[in-house]
Amino acid sequence: MNVKRKPAKAERPTSKMRALFREAARDIVARDREARKGGRTQNTIGEIERAMVKAYVCGQEALLNKREGLLPSANALVDWLEIPPRARETLSFLTICFSHRWSTVRGEASAPTRIPSEIELFIENGRKRWTIVNGETRSERSVADGSVAPLVRLGLLAASSDYADRYVLTASGIAAGEEYWRRSDAGDPTLPREGMR
């Protein structure tokens, strides 16, 4: 009796690996846009091909060595790279108090109070919108649900026990914000590109 075996199903890349691939794509697109604006030539096809080869090799190495698969540990900090770009912007606004530049911006002589902002849900024209809240002061600026939902999904924001429709940063959200501002204040060039979606 001849039994056909099903081919082994390939493992999907981890969220961190996918985030690395997205950042490589953002870099290629940004360089192409900059070259076009400046009227310079750019070998975008070559860059894409090299990125695909690198991703292929990374996948092969991950199959040979599970440690190369970038598997997260149980209590791993959510890497800034894994947060979608619009959600990164929102998280950076909520945690700007962790920046050492914040006291300079606000004109404070002493160390600023390091209490992150919260975010509150409201409905506008039938759509979910969110506004940043500092104490009882609400920002006039609001953000779309697509900028906040990933933060909730990643466990960086959770519903407040004190206020209806308000969300607060979790311990993981605070840690991610602190780490981002530490790297940003130090001028870390490996932080993901801003403004590229």
Side-chain angles (χ1 to χ4, degrees):
M1 188 168 142
N2 201 0
V3 178
K4 286 188 178 181
R5 291 185 182 178
K6 289 184 180 180
K9 192 172 182 179
E11 287 185 39
R12 295 185 58 79
T14 63
S15 60
K16 185 165 186 176
M17 192 178 285
R18 290 180 59 154
L20 289 168
F21 296 160
R22 278 193 302 274
E23 288 307 311
R26 285 187 187 99
D27 287 343
I28 292 169
V29 170
R31 283 193 295 272
D32 183 64
R33 288 178 183 169
E34 289 168 11
R36 284 178 191 239
K37 281 182 188 175
R40 296 182 308 275
T41 59
Q42 172 72 5
N43 184 7
T44 304
I45 300 299
E47 283 201 41
I48 292 170
E49 181 266 341
R50 284 188 293 279
M52 290 176 73
V53 168
K54 189 174 179 180
Y56 175 79
V57 169
C58 184
Q60 294 297 311
E61 288 174 352
L63 289 173
L64 295 173
N65 183 352
K66 290 291 184 188
R67 286 179 290 141
E68 292 296 319
L70 303 174
L71 296 171
S73 64
N75 58 357
L77 176 71
V78 174
D79 194 317
W80 199 255
L81 184 70
E82 297 178 69
I83 303 169
R86 290 187 330 180
R88 284 182 207 150
E89 271 180 39
T90 301
L91 185 55
S92 69
F93 280 124
L94 292 172
T95 59
I96 196 167
C97 63
F98 297 133
S99 171
H100 293 294
R101 294 175 281 186
W102 181 241
S103 58
T104 307
V105 171
R106 296 186 64 193
E108 295 176 0
S110 61
T113 306
R114 307 253 183 218
I115 299 172
S117 299
E118 298 174 352
I119 196 158
E120 193 169 80
L121 174 67
F122 67 97
I123 305 296
E124 181 179 77
N125 298 326
R127 295 180 181 220
K128 286 183 176 181
R129 299 287 299 176
W130 298 83
T131 188
I132 294 176
V133 180
N134 235 326
E136 292 304 317
T137 307
R138 284 165 184 73
S139 171
E140 291 181 19
R141 180 180 177 269
S142 68
V143 295
D145 191 50
S147 299
V148 177
L151 299 175
V152 175
R153 190 174 55 250
L154 289 167
L156 303 175
L157 276 176
S160 170
S161 57
D162 299 330
Y163 299 93
D165 297 330
R166 194 175 291 187
Y167 280 65
V168 297
L169 288 166
T170 63
S172 295
I174 290 170
E178 287 175 333
E179 178 64 7
Y180 167 75
W181 284 109
R182 183 193 64 73
R183 291 173 64 190
S184 178
D185 287 349
D188 185 344
T190 64
L191 274 172
R193 188 179 288 275
E194 293 292 323
M196 285 291 298
R197 297 184 180 155

